Amino acid sequence: MRILVVQNSRTAPIGLVGDALTDNGATLHTIAANEGEAIPEKDGYAGLVVLGGPQDAWDDAKGPHFGRVMETIRAFTDADRPVMGICLGAQLAARAYGAKVYRHTTPELGIHRVSLTDGAQNDPLLGGFGPALNLAQWHYDTFEFPEGAVPLAFSEACDRQAFRLGRATYAFQFHPEATGEILRGWASRIREEARESNADMLHGLEDSIATHLPVAEQFTRAMTRRWLDLAR
């Protein structure tokens, strides 16, 4: 199966999600949309993954490709082909269906506890993973739920961590794809992004990576395999 991957920044690759997809027989076609590569039509693709990036989903001046990304999300959803939006991708999925995306009161950086809702307990992707997981986070913005969305997860700092639209369109504010290397890269660039005032949130990052990422990787691999099953 071919999976279309929309990349919004080279600093936010598909990571563990990509490993899980290819390990389960998928072929990835990655488009660097932020660099001007054209996003193809849905024909020939079994599913869509929209990745994160440092842009704000509500700022089209810094994301002139956002309109086309949202069109693509709607096209795959309308065709009942699975979508996975991650962080910026999740925010664009919310916005694609009329929901507001805006600056959150506090950023979430590092690894944080994510609690699953009652609605997640029987969800095809998230069912059976227990009441909570410790997952990678790296976001400054948040979103409202689109009309008809099923809330799937929340955290202490951010009530909207995941939702599902229809059968198979998923939006994750957290970062299931993040490896330790990816997280360290984001931490190293926090000053480049003029957000150094948040650097103190990263104390203990290495300990969190060592403690929590092995279990988070198991979650990502199982969840992604289930997502791919939705496309079969």
Side-chain angles (χ1 to χ4, degrees), residues 1 6 17-18 24 34 38 44 52 70 76 79-80 87 89 98 101 120 137 142 157-158 168 172 177 180 198 205 209:
M1 288 187 295
V6 175
V17 168
N24 284 279
N34 64 305
M70 291 187 285
F76 273 79
D80 199 31
C87 197
V101 182
Q137 300 273 7
T142 188
C158 183
F172 300 140
E177 85 289 9
N198 299 295
L205 179 61
I209 288 172

Side-chain angles (χ1 to χ4, degrees), residues 187-216:
S188 72
R189 285 184 287 271
I190 194 167
R191 288 177 174 80
E192 295 175 20
E193 296 172 4
R195 287 164 167 167
E196 62 271 16
S197 62
N198 299 295
D200 60 350
M201 299 181 69
L202 300 179
H203 293 318
L205 179 61
E206 283 299 327
D207 288 343
S208 292
I209 288 172
T211 301
H212 297 303
L213 272 194
V215 176

Side-chain angles (χ1 to χ4, degrees), residues 172-190:
F172 300 140
Q173 182 60 77
F174 52 84
H175 282 276
E177 85 289 9
T179 62
E181 181 181 4
I182 289 172
L183 280 171
R184 292 183 190 102
W186 294 340
S188 72
R189 285 184 287 271
I190 194 167

Side-chain angles (χ1 to χ4, degrees), residues 23-203:
D23 287 349
N24 284 279
T27 300
L28 308 184
H29 181 196
T30 300
I31 299 296
N34 64 305
E35 298 176 14
E37 292 186 8
I39 301 173
E41 299 295 328
K42 68 181 185 304
D43 298 340
Y45 297 100
L48 169 70
V49 179
V50 182
L51 299 173
Q55 306 96 324
D56 297 310
W58 39 265
D59 188 351
D60 290 345
K62 293 184 179 179
H65 61 291
F66 287 169
R68 176 59 183 148
V69 175
M70 291 187 285
E71 288 176 3
T72 304
I73 290 170
R74 289 190 292 265
F76 273 79
T77 300
D78 290 347
D80 199 31
R81 299 179 193 178
V83 175
M84 185 189 304
I86 297 174
C87 197
L88 176 63
Q91 295 162 6
L92 289 171
R95 187 180 163 199
Y97 285 92
K100 181 181 178 182
V101 182
Y102 54 95
R103 181 75 78 231
H104 196 32
T105 54
T106 181
E108 277 188 302
L109 309 176
I111 298 176
H112 297 270
R113 181 180 175 88
V114 174
S115 298
L116 302 182
T117 66
D118 291 344
Q121 302 312 310
N122 295 316
D123 181 76
L125 260 60
L126 300 184
F129 286 113
L133 296 155
N134 291 291
L135 300 172
Q137 300 273 7
W138 210 276
H139 69 103
Y140 298 86
D141 296 339
T142 188
F143 51 79
E144 302 295 339
F145 287 127
E147 184 177 354
V150 177
L152 296 174
F154 61 94
S155 70
E156 182 178 355
C158 183
D159 288 340
R160 293 167 293 279
Q161 286 288 336
F163 67 84
R164 186 187 75 244
L165 274 174
R167 182 185 73 95
T169 290
Y170 286 84
F172 300 140
Q173 182 60 77
F174 52 84
H175 282 276
E177 85 289 9
T179 62
E181 181 181 4
I182 289 172
L183 280 171
R184 292 183 190 102
W186 294 340
S188 72
R189 285 184 287 271
I190 194 167
R191 288 177 174 80
E192 295 175 20
E193 296 172 4
R195 287 164 167 167
E196 62 271 16
S197 62
N198 299 295
D200 60 350
M201 299 181 69
L202 300 179
H203 293 318

Side-chain angles (χ1 to χ4, degrees), residues 215-229:
V215 176
E217 178 175 350
Q218 293 175 18
F219 159 74
T220 294
R221 290 185 177 277
M223 178 275 294
T224 303
R225 184 172 61 250
R226 293 178 179 185
W227 182 88
L228 192 59
D229 285 344

